[in-house]
Every structure is written in C-alpha cells, then in structure tokens.
Amino acid sequence: MAAELPTGTVTFLFTDVEGSTSLLDELGAERYAQALEEHREIVRAALGEHDGVEVDTQGDAFFCAFGSARAAVSCAGDIQERLAPGRIRVRMGVHTGEALVADGHYVGMDVHRAARIGACGHGGQIVLSPSTVALLEPEVFSLADLGEHRLKDLSAPVRLHQLGLGEFPPLKTLFRTNLPVPATPFLGRERELHELVERAQEPGVRLLTLTGPGGTGKTRLSLQVAAELSDSYADGTWWVPLAPLREGSLVASAVASVLEVEEEPGRTLLESIAGAVARRRALLLLDNCEHLVDAVADLVAALVAEGPDVLVVTTSREALRITGEEVYAVEPLATRDAVELFHARARSAGAALEPGGGDDGVVAELCARLDNLPLAVELAAARAAALPPAALLERLSSGLDVLKGPRDVEERQRTLRATIAWSYGLLDEHEQRLFRRLAVFVGGASLDAVEEICNAELEDLLSLVAKSLVRQAQVEDTEARYFMLETVREFAADELEASGERRDLQERHVELFSRLARDVREGLEGSESGLWLARCEHDLANLRAAFASAAALDRRDDAVALAMALLTRHFFRGSYSEAEDVIRSALALD
C-alpha cells in the first residue's frame, strides 16, 4: 500500500477494463499481458501524481482513494488521456462519501455505491456521482449531465454526470422495471448473489426459487439478483409482491396488473398472460409465494411453457415443485456479514460503533445467538443506540430463552419470532398498541390512514420505523407509506387478536376504505381517472381486504360501495375474471 488510507470524507475511484475477454482472444495471451501491464503502469503513475492511494487491485480493476474530489477526477481524466492511444478501454466511476476503515480496509455503503457507478459506464467513460460533482468547480471541469438513473444497488434515482463531452451508449443502469427501493442497503451475500446469477444464466434455466424461513433475507437477495440480471431482459424486470394477497385466484390478476396485460375475449386471464409473455424477453420476480403455492405453481408452469425467453424468480418458504424448477436454499448470513449488517444498522440507529473495534467479538456472539438471521440482527441493532453490545447480548439472550415458543416450529423461525417478541416487549404501551393495530392494513397504508384508523401519534410511528418493526417507502414525491414485513405482520396480527381489538379495527378499516371506494369510483369516471387509478392501485390490497371484512361484518352498503369501486378498477385494467368474482361475492350478500 503506497500510503495511509484517507479518512473522513473520501473520494473513491473504481476502474475496470471493458471487454477484457474479447481483447484477450484478439491480442493473444502475451500481447494482452503486455497491454495490461502498460495499463497498470499508467494508472499507478497517475495515482502518484495526484496523491491517490491504491486500495485494492483485482485482475484488471483498480480501487483507489483520494482526500480530494478534484484530485480524483483530475487523475481519472489523466488516466483516460494516457490510455487513449492503446487498445485497452477502461470505464471509471467516482463517488465521494464517508470513509469507514476496519482492519485496514474500507467498509460501508459509499464504497459499494462507488463500485456501482463504475460498473454502469463504458470503456473510455468517467461517470461521477452527485456528491463528487458538488465539490468540483464548473469552470475547471467539463461535465455532461447524464440525467437521473437507478443503479443496480436498487437505490433511489440519482443524477449522474460524465467528465468530458464524449459520446457513449446509454449507461448500464436499471430501466423498464418496478423493482422497489428497499428500506435497507444490500450487504453481504456476495457469494450467494454470484451463485444465483450464474445459475440463472445457465442454458435451460427458466424458473429459480429461493427458499428459506421468514427473516433470512430471501426478498432482498432476490431483488438484487433481478437487478444484476436486468441487462439481459430487454422487455423489463418486474416485481410482483404476493404477500398482500389472501386468495389464490388473485395471483393471475396481480401479475397481469404489473405486466399491463388485459384479459382477451375467449381466453382466461392466465391464458392471456401466457400469450403476452410468449412475445417478451422479461424477468418476473414473484415474491412471498408460500401461502399461495398451488396458484403460483399453476401460473408459473403456464409462463414457463409459453415464454421461451422469460425467467421467473420466486421466493417462498417451500418450493413450488414443478418441472424444471431450480431451488436455492437461502441460509443465514455468514458471521462476518452478520457483524457488518449489525454495524451498518446500528450506525443508522445512531450508535457510536466502529467495525473492527473492541465490540466485534461481542457483536459476533450476539449475531450467533440470533442464528445470523438478517431480520433478527436488524431488530437487535436498532436498539444499539440505547444499549451497548454487551448489555444487548445479556438482555437479548435471557429474552430468547423465555420466548422461544413451541418446539414443533423450525428452530430459526422460533428464533426470529422470539426476537420480534423481545423487540415488541421493549416498546412502551403506546408503541405496542400502534404496532399491533397496524396489522389491520394489508400492503401498507398512508400516514393519514394510519392516524385515522389506529389513532396514531406520528412520534410513535416514527419510533417503530427507527426500531425496524415498521418500514417506510416513498410512493410519490408527496406521500410516504408505512408497511410491515410479512413475518412481522403475522406476529402483530396475533397480538391484535389477543388484545380483543381486532373487530373494532376492522370496522374502522371498512369505514375509511368504503369512503375511499366511493371517491375512487367517482374519480375513475371523471377527467382525472389516471390519478385516481394510481391511488386505487396503492390501496388495492386494502380495498380487497375491506370488501371481505364488510361482507363478513354484514355491512352491506359498505360492501356494495367497495365492490363497485373494485369493479370499476378491474374493468379499467381488463381484469374481468376478478371482476366476475367480485360480482358473485356482492350478489351473495343478499
């Protein structure tokens, strides 16, 4: 290592040779090795001139760090200029962020972000993050605005710039996708990610199922797999969340809605979807299938049979058990990854912990006590601001021993449930009441809905978000929605039932969403139908649940209002089979 690693605010530079395999075939081994060595000499010479530090070198890629954004960008420009006469073309990414050093290495999300930015460019191109651009003098550096892009780390869109005005193909970022912005960054799992991507790219693989108990991180891993594979699917990469659904008959409707497929005359919705997919090269991620396995298996079998260029990825606690299914069991995190996850979440919660410090042994023991389950680690880390790791381990261990629960439940599931119960037990009375009441929502809810139905205080809601029991997602620029992971919601629903409040909450839920239903129906028939359709889609799971509750509670007027809104939505979307089911259910009321 040429010098000490810069600390504090650091600018990272990632470089990678483009098309190295084809260039090796073209030049031959000897000439390619010579060209690669000349490339390394150029990079290292420029680093020395601009006070850069070579952090790591893997194959033909460099990871470098600078104490100055200006020095990093100037160095990148010099490297490209010196490489221009040769055959090697290098793509580069520059990002400025917080540097965390552990065991002589950088860790943290800013390192991952810099690598992602480097990977999205093309040979000869230098891509800069917004944080780097903000530190550059516009009169000194010539920059081209590349617009907003979603990187494959699944973060929110960022505005990227390019050094110089050269012409390059579009950046290799996410496009034609509805993959959500996850509540937490992707950490660890590099081995699993690599294995899954390789397996998905094997000839003949059309269905890949990630299995494992709740809390093992199947959804987060599958989203990252889909993002990594997105370049191969010109017709898009699409995510269908199935957790909010309670009936198998709704699976096809959910898929059709995401793929924008209308039911064709004389064909079932499933046949219409299969026919549309047969003409597409797309990736479809069906998330949380375990409670709808039979319906999902029927749909996936049809898609795989009709769509030769479609890859279906599913997550489930059990396999679908259909022909051609590739099953990948998602295990708990490796100890090192679990410790890194704990530190990252603890920092987000405001804890003053540093990776590589004296707490790592205790943190590793704590994570092992939690079976290295990602969700359980997150829940514990959310408390690290109030309790140091040693105190957290002592209290958590005693809590788990008491709360383990029935022995006929899988050990890891018992551990996770006990962890949720432990975290729930640490909430104050107001937070506990809100936590269990939130189980009445299906697929999340807006702040207004939470406040009205649950009599919620914003402070209590944000406290649950901070403790990782509730997640927050931005649906539009002006609206945040709050939801629970399905495993957490299952626990909250049990607590709601035990409290005796469930019926009262269902009544309130029906009242609010029947009012929304009347507004939606009127709005869909007016001039702003597009806006109202979007509003309906956000709360579609709640409207479905409210309709079922209204029928069960014999609230006929509300049930009819909800049925009419759902029917109008289904006709807009071409979901005629689901519309027929709604009509039959409504007629059965009287």
Side-chain angles (χ1 to χ4, degrees), residues 468-541:
S468 294
L469 289 167
V470 173
R471 304 293 172 108
Q472 179 180 328
Q474 201 75 18
V475 174
E476 297 171 346
D477 293 339
T478 57
E479 183 184 24
R481 289 182 67 84
Y482 299 88
F483 67 97
M484 291 174 162
L485 297 180
E486 190 60 21
T487 304
V488 176
R489 184 179 177 273
E490 289 172 1
F491 178 89
D494 289 343
E495 292 298 316
L496 182 62
E497 182 70 36
S499 72
E501 294 183 298
R502 183 176 63 84
R503 183 182 178 96
D504 180 51
L505 266 292
Q506 280 186 320
E507 297 269 7
R508 296 188 207 175
H509 187 268
V510 169
E511 287 174 9
L512 185 146
F513 285 101
S514 63
R515 291 202 309 272
L516 174 62
R518 293 178 175 92
D519 293 340
V520 163
R521 186 187 177 197
E522 182 178 342
L524 289 177
E525 294 173 349
S527 58
E528 296 185 334
S529 59
L531 294 175
W532 280 101
L533 187 58
R535 176 70 190 278
C536 183
E537 293 302 307
H538 294 160
D539 272 311
L540 181 58

Side-chain angles (χ1 to χ4, degrees), residues 432-501:
Q432 285 188 348
R433 182 169 59 243
L434 176 56
F435 172 78
R436 62 178 178 259
R437 287 180 174 181
L438 287 170
V440 75
F441 295 107
V442 184
S446 66
L447 176 59
D448 289 343
V450 171
E451 288 178 329
E452 178 173 342
I453 294 178
C454 302
N455 292 331
E457 296 290 338
L458 180 59
E459 181 180 346
D460 292 333
L461 181 60
L462 295 181
S463 177
L464 294 179
V465 172
K467 295 175 173 68
S468 294
L469 289 167
V470 173
R471 304 293 172 108
Q472 179 180 328
Q474 201 75 18
V475 174
E476 297 171 346
D477 293 339
T478 57
E479 183 184 24
R481 289 182 67 84
Y482 299 88
F483 67 97
M484 291 174 162
L485 297 180
E486 190 60 21
T487 304
V488 176
R489 184 179 177 273
E490 289 172 1
F491 178 89
D494 289 343
E495 292 298 316
L496 182 62
E497 182 70 36
S499 72
E501 294 183 298

